[in-house]
Every structure is written in structure tokens, then in C-alpha cells.
Amino acid sequence: MIWFLKRMPLLIVLGLTVLVMSNCTMLGMNYASLETSNKPQPQPSLDVPAITGNAAKRDALKQAFEDTLYGPWPTGMPIAFSAWRIVEPDYLDGRGTLEEAEVTVGSGEGARLFHLVVAFPKADRPAPVVVGQTFSSNCSVFPGEPVTATDMTACTGSEMDGAMGTLATQIFGRYIAVAPVARYFDAGLAYASFYASELVPDRNGDAQAVMANLGGATNPTSALMAWAYGFTAALDVLEADPRIDKSRMAVMGHSRHGKSALIAGVWDRRVAAVIAHQSGFAGAALSRSETGEGLVRMAESYPHWLSPNVLAYLADLSSLPVDQHELLALLAPTPVLLGNGRRDVWSDPNSTYRAAEAASAVYKAEAASGLTGDGMQSFDPAADLAYWLRPGGHSIVPKDIDAFTAFLAAHLGGAGAIESPVQMAN
């Protein structure tokens, strides 16, 4: 026993080492391959003429995604919203105003309310806007501002306060919660944000119960589809405001919310641009890929994210009638930025690039540019299907914001776009 106790610290270290080594892909301890030519071509093959020129076949492909992965788009689900409440009339030292609206999705006792917070820049013309969907509550996205917390009280702190918040930002990046609104203002953009779990909770069991009771004629059956509809509700609010240019409204999400941003861009064609950062499986990564998290593990770990229908395909992924290059193809010609980290093998940057390569044929058929450059390390923010790969893992860091603002300035034409290292490099 004494021998064991003396050596316990070493045994703990050894145990942790084994754990890390066995989960190196999950923890970002290795690198995504940059070689794509030796990988399988995405399947099924894209029917480019059908996707670009046949509305019925395009609708059939969308229906296949609903039937397979995401469940139904909640067509006709009621959306209502309040007047704006001014949170801070001189936000960022007078550069804009910070305002908040209550948004209700559904009807009856099961309707859900979430808070949309918008930073409006002071400008003499309608501004383009980017809508972010977040993991953390508005208290963390706008720290120090008395926006409304999930318990309907005014925020007085942030989930990112203290040691745990510091640890989270060290692991997942400076901007995993807080929004760099000044950076978006610099690029001539308004910035809007809402907490996805305030609409549908990110918890298995609770999510399904909430979706089943929303009160619409057609209810969503996956959290990803419901969160995507949250983007639609936010766009309803924003396009009704004369300070927003309703022809230049973008959506943005990281990880699971990158998945919902892609879905929103397909099912709501008002979306003028999409940023899907490290969206992984059921996002931009190919479902048939054997690298990273994988669709099977994701569906088992987070069953509420996807439609229960996906269970029929998990034993044989080759039986899937669709894959994610087709989802990207359905977005054409909408500009899309696919963000990736070289160490984020879990989200599979390699198959994400190959999905974009395949979808580029549809972009080009729609008179858009598709991917430009040569390979995974070539970033062109002006491309209509842009691929961004930086060092590091599953996180949102300053370099990502450089890429996001460069892309948005190129496609939304924001006034006064900044010159960042990312922009200058291309």
C-alpha cells in the first residue's frame, strides 16, 4: 500500500497520458492531412444541371436532407417579436446603440421566447448585419451590459467570469463567448446575437420535448433544424428595421451552430452570406468520412441534434441518400466561408475541403466563383465558396475574426472595412 501511495502521482500522470494519446484527435493533439487527391470522391455524385436548373429536383434534394438528417423545416411556425428596448444608447463610446427584442417562436403554452441583442452602428444608411448564434448566454456575449439573462433578470455578470471562464477561453479561444463588436463595426457591419439554447435547450430529452410542443403546424424534430429556424426568426426582426439593409443579412455560427447556419442558408434564401466555422459532421464535413468525430459518434453523443430518422443509416453510412457536399451545393450561389483549424481533426477539415471542392461545380454553374486557389492552405475571402484553415484547434481566435470580417466585407460591401493581416496576405 505504501508503495502504491508513493507512486500514485506517477500512475495518475501515466493514466492521463494514455487518455490523451487515445483521444488525441478529439483534443487537437494531431494535424489534419493537407492531401486531398488520394481520398475518395464525395458520394453521391452531384447532378449539377438538376440542382441549378430544376426546381423540383432541388426541392427533392432538400426533402432528402429533411428525411435523413434534419427533420422537417417548420414551415409556417409562428414568429412574433417585441419593440426594441434600448440597453445602451452610447454603446462603444458612442459608436452605436445596443438594443434588445423579445422573439417568440411557436404558439400556445409551448411557444418559446428568446432575446435577440443587436449592436446598431451609428450610420447615415442601412447597414449590413451578421447574426451570430452562440453557446453562451447574452450575458457572456455582451459582458458588463444589462441585457436580459435567461431568468429574465438583467445581467450582472458572465459565465466567463472566474477561473472556469478563463480556462474555457484558453482552450476555446478569446471569442468563444464574448463578441468583438468593435471589429464588426470597423467593417461597417451591425452585429446581432442570440443564445440558441434559449430557443431550444441543448440537452437530450429536453430538446425533443420543447420541439414537440412549440405549437406549429409542422414542428422541427432536430435541434439543428430548430436553431436554424431561430436564424429565420432573427431575420424577420432585422428586416423590419429600416436601419438594416435586408438584402445584406449574413448568419454565422461555430461548431454545432455552424451546422445550423448552413441549414438556415439553404432553407431561408434571404441569407446573403454564411460563416460556418468548424461545423464538422452534419455540417460541412462528409458523413462518409472515417476521420475525426464521425457522424455515428456524433449522433450517439448528441441524439437531439439530428432527426431520429438518421438511426436507420448509422450501421452503413454508404446507404445515406445524401452527403454534405450536396448541402453546400444547395447553398449556391450564396457566399459561404468554411472555417477550420489544422489541429481540429475532430471536425475533419480535410473532408470539409473535399465537400467544398465538389460543390464548387454548382457554384460555377450559377456564375459564382466557387473555391479559388490551390489547396487547403489557400484562403481567398472574395471567393464565393471560401475555405479558411489556420493553425490551432476547435476555437474562435483573433485570426478567425480577421477572416470573418475580410469575407463579410468582400461579400456584403460594408463601409470602412479594416485591413487585417489575413486580408493583406491575399
Side-chain angles (χ1 to χ4, degrees), residues 40-104:
Q41 291 296 309
Q43 296 296 325
S45 297
L46 281 175
D47 186 344
V48 175
I51 293 174
T52 58
N54 188 316
K57 289 189 176 181
R58 183 185 178 88
D59 288 343
L61 182 55
K62 289 170 62 179
Q63 188 65 52
F65 273 101
E66 293 187 28
D67 294 342
T68 304
L69 285 179
Y70 303 128
W73 177 254
T75 303
M77 177 72 69
I79 297 170
F81 48 92
S82 70
W84 294 108
R85 178 181 76 87
I86 297 177
V87 177
E88 173 53 65
D90 293 305
Y91 186 56
L92 293 182
D93 298 322
R95 295 185 64 187
T97 64
L98 190 66
E99 304 181 30
E100 178 183 80
E102 293 183 346
V103 185
T104 301

Side-chain angles (χ1 to χ4, degrees), residues 186-188 405 409-410 414-419 423:
D186 288 343
T405 53
I418 63 169
E419 290 293 330
Q423 289 169 279

Side-chain angles (χ1 to χ4, degrees), residues 144-157:
E145 301 294 340
V147 295
T148 303
T150 53
D151 63 1
M152 302 300 288
T153 64
C155 294
T156 57

Side-chain angles (χ1 to χ4, degrees), residues 262-316:
L262 290 169
I263 296 167
V266 171
W267 271 266
D268 190 333
R269 300 303 281 175
R270 293 175 298 176
V271 173
V274 176
I275 296 175
H277 186 53
Q278 299 177 309
S279 62
F281 292 87
L286 294 169
S287 296
R288 289 166 171 77
S289 175
E290 297 179 355
T291 301
E293 180 181 22
L295 184 68
V296 173
R297 183 165 183 168
M298 194 200 78
E300 292 172 346
S301 300
Y302 308 101
H304 57 293
W305 288 3
L306 298 172
S307 166
N309 294 348
V310 76
L311 296 174
Y313 303 97
L314 297 184
D316 179 14

Side-chain angles (χ1 to χ4, degrees), residues 42 65 69-70 224 255-263 274-289 298 323-329 331 336-340 347-359 385-387:
F65 273 101
L69 285 179
Y70 303 128
L224 293 181
S255 194
R256 67 203 66 178
H257 303 308
K259 307 177 203 295
S260 56
L262 290 169
I263 296 167
V274 176
I275 296 175
H277 186 53
Q278 299 177 309
S279 62
F281 292 87
L286 294 169
S287 296
R288 289 166 171 77
S289 175
M298 194 200 78
D323 211 332
Q324 301 313 103
H325 61 303
E326 294 174 296
L327 187 76
L328 297 182
L331 281 158
V336 175
L337 170 61
L338 303 174
N340 300 269
S347 297
D348 200 0
N350 188 285
S351 84
T352 295
Y353 184 83
R354 288 184 282 124
E357 262 190 325
L385 189 50
Y387 182 92

Side-chain angles (χ1 to χ4, degrees), residues 373-400:
D374 54 350
M376 293 169 60
Q377 292 181 299
S378 179
F379 172 52
D380 177 6
D384 291 311
L385 189 50
Y387 182 92
W388 158 245
L389 179 71
R390 53 135 173 88
H394 199 70
S395 56
I396 307 177
V397 298
K399 285 184 178 181
D400 295 321

